[in-house]
Amino acid sequence: MMQKLTVLGATGSIGTSTLDVVARHPDKFGVFALTGASQLTLLAAQCVQFAPKFAVVLDEAAAQTLRELLIENDCKTEVLCGAQALCDVASAPEVSTVMAAIVGAAGLASSMAAARSGKRLLLANKESLVMAGGLMMAAVRESGATLLPIDSEHNALFQCLPADGGTRGVASLTLTASGGPFLHTPLSDLNAITPDQACAHPRWRMGRKISVDSATMMNKGLEVIEAHWLFGVSAAQINVLIHPQSIIHSLVNYIDGSSLAQLGHADMRVPISHALAHPARINSGVATLDLAQISALEFYAPDFDKFPCLRLAFDALDAGGAAPIVLNAANECAVAAFLAGDIGFLSIARVNAAALKSLNFAAPATLDDVLAVDAQTRAWVVRYLNTLK
Ligand code: NAD
Ligand code: MG
């Protein structure tokens, strides 16, 4: 049967890779809606190519610009705007499958809308699970949604875990990490790092926020929390392994000494194709591995002193309640300040640590509670950054 897709964050790195796969299988996938915050020319070109019913942008000004671009191209896609429209196209009855690929907390409400309305939810937006994992997993269970992880490590774990979705016989999960661009950079050189250096990831081409998160290893920390919610394992059962080649995407370690791993080229079209077609398999456009050519794979233990953000994520997961929301919000603000040239690279971890230490909120019970903690943390970080000036 043809799947009707909404791609949230269609203009981003995951969004464009998703559409690359979709374009290879016009018999299997149709597009209902595409969304994007900027890059309106790209979004218009995507509308011309995939002819979705709706395109969603952030505000009326962007909507007007996009409408003009579409008229020039004789494209009939209807343009909507605003946060509610994102939720509407994620939950519309015509939609079977939602790719949630907005970056950051901005993706939470629309991911949740897809979960609540029982969609096949292809989740790239890890921040949703970090902020509201408990609520999200409950929504998936109650609505009968199918949650398929897109993050390459979690997609790998999903492929290696028992097919019934449980964790019978599982001793632990090993999340691999490339180590980012500064794996071998001495700590004393890290504060002089520029945003462009931080975004020059050795293995993956990604958006700027996740690229900086990879450089601080906060990305792996967020992924530890993501794995906890997706697979119901404790922090103590999740370990991180540095593997610079990014060929092994993660491992499931069973109690009998077997470890199952998923391997592939570092190309997000592999997990995207897996989730789009699950439980079938489709061509992703990515070549089969040639291990003889790669020849050597390396592994190291992570350096928690050089990358304190990784430790902070384990701490936030142990603390539970609102702590992961605080960490995620502080990190988004700190990364934005770093990308804007306002703070140094090492200050990202300092801001995150200070927020976790200073802020104590009651455990959230609703999505509104989650958003309130997020907003209060952001306000706190703005004040904190001002005291540093
Ligand atoms: P990106 O910056 O390339 O794209 C982000 C998309 O979200 C764009 O379409 C952008 O227009 C849209 N967007 C940005 N701000 C928005 C807002 N306020 N409201 C609505 N839409 C907004 O990011 P990306 O690298 O594609 O990452 C997307 C998500 O996938 C992130 O959560 C990231 O952690 C996750 N992820 C990405 C990769 C990767 O290889 N890029 C791998 C694993 C997980
Ligand atoms: Mg990942």
Side-chain angles (χ1 to χ4, degrees):
M1 212 186 64
M2 182 92 150
Q3 292 187 52
K4 269 279 176 201
L5 290 179
T6 283
V7 183
L8 302 166
T11 54
S13 162
I14 294 289
T16 50
S17 290
T18 301
L19 292 176
D20 179 283
V21 176
V22 165
R24 293 166 194 273
H25 303 280
D27 54 321
K28 294 189 173 65
F29 308 108
V31 179
F32 175 78
L34 297 174
T35 87
S38 50
Q39 294 196 275
L40 299 179
T41 313
L42 173 59
L43 186 56
Q46 293 176 335
C47 289
V48 170
Q49 185 180 354
F50 295 96
K53 188 154 188 226
F54 295 109
V56 184
V57 292
L58 290 191
D59 54 32
E60 194 47 55
Q64 209 41 50
T65 307
L66 182 61
R67 282 185 196 112
E68 283 159 23
L69 290 168
L70 293 180
I71 289 168
E72 279 170 31
N73 289 285
D74 218 13
C75 175
K76 302 277 181 296
T77 298
E78 192 178 325
V79 181
L80 310 174
C81 69
Q84 183 56 47
L86 289 175
C87 294
D88 292 344
V89 296
S91 57
E94 297 96 317
V95 174
S96 57
T97 306
V98 175
M99 167 58 80
I102 290 173
V103 59
L108 174 59
S110 51
S111 302
M112 194 64 107
R116 284 176 174 160
S117 51
K119 303 302 183 196
R120 253 174 99 84
L121 172 55
L122 279 46
L123 190 66
N125 179 256
K126 65 191 86 187
E127 295 90 348
S128 302
L129 282 175
V130 172
M131 296 174 74
L135 294 172
M136 187 89 147
M137 297 311 287
V140 166
R141 275 193 304 275
E142 283 159 24
S143 70
T146 303
L147 182 53
L148 294 161
I150 293 298
D151 215 342
S152 55
E153 298 77 3
H154 306 74
N155 184 273
L157 293 169
F158 181 88
Q159 294 194 48
C160 297
L161 280 162
D164 65 8
T167 50
R168 256 179 314 120
V170 173
S172 63
L173 306 179
T174 300
L175 289 173
T176 54
S178 69
F182 309 132
L183 177 59
H184 300 297
T185 309
L187 182 58
S188 54
D189 291 354
L190 285 186
N191 214 37
I193 291 301
T194 65
D196 283 344
Q197 286 173 310
C199 289
H201 196 277
R203 299 286 163 197
W204 302 92
R205 291 280 145 268
M206 310 181 288
R208 285 172 84 76
K209 191 264 179 181
I210 184 177
S211 295
V212 175
D213 285 349
S214 298
T216 61
M217 288 202 73
M218 177 52 86
N219 181 51
K220 208 52 51 182
L222 298 176
E223 290 182 0
V224 168
I225 302 174
E226 182 185 13
H228 161 75
W229 288 114
L230 280 172
F231 306 120
V233 292
S234 67
Q237 286 175 290
I238 305 172
N239 40 68
V240 172
L241 175 70
I242 305 294
H243 165 40
Q245 290 76 23
S246 297
I247 293 293
I248 296 183
H249 298 302
S250 279
L251 305 95
V252 176
N253 309 301
Y254 286 89
I255 51 177
D256 61 2
S258 285
S259 290
L260 300 192
Q262 185 263 359
L263 288 72
H265 287 294
D267 186 323
M268 290 306 292
R269 291 177 301 173
V270 176
I272 289 167
S273 299
H274 168 268
L276 276 171
H278 182 75
R281 296 274 178 175
I282 55 173
N283 184 351
S284 63
V286 180
T288 301
L289 268 185
D290 180 351
L291 284 175
Q293 205 216 334
I294 293 165
S295 97
L297 300 179
E298 299 166 278
F299 305 96
Y300 311 101
D303 182 342
F304 286 93
D305 295 326
K306 190 167 145 190
F307 299 106
C309 287
L310 185 55
R311 171 77 67 207
L312 292 176
F314 275 101
D315 291 348
L317 180 53
D318 282 336
I325 311 170
V326 168
L327 180 60
N328 182 69
N331 182 60
E332 280 192 35
C333 294
V335 169
F338 168 69
L339 285 173
D342 293 341
I343 62 173
F345 182 77
L346 293 177
S347 294
I348 298 172
R350 289 189 199 115
V351 171
N352 293 346
L356 263 189
K357 198 162 158 226
S358 309
L359 296 174
N360 272 302
F361 297 103
T366 65
L367 189 58
D368 283 343
D369 295 345
V370 171
L371 295 174
V373 171
D374 178 75
Q376 288 177 54
T377 303
R378 286 167 195 268
W380 183 90
V381 173
V382 169
R383 292 196 299 276
Y384 180 81
L385 290 178
N386 277 330
T387 66
L388 300 184
K389 279 182 184 159

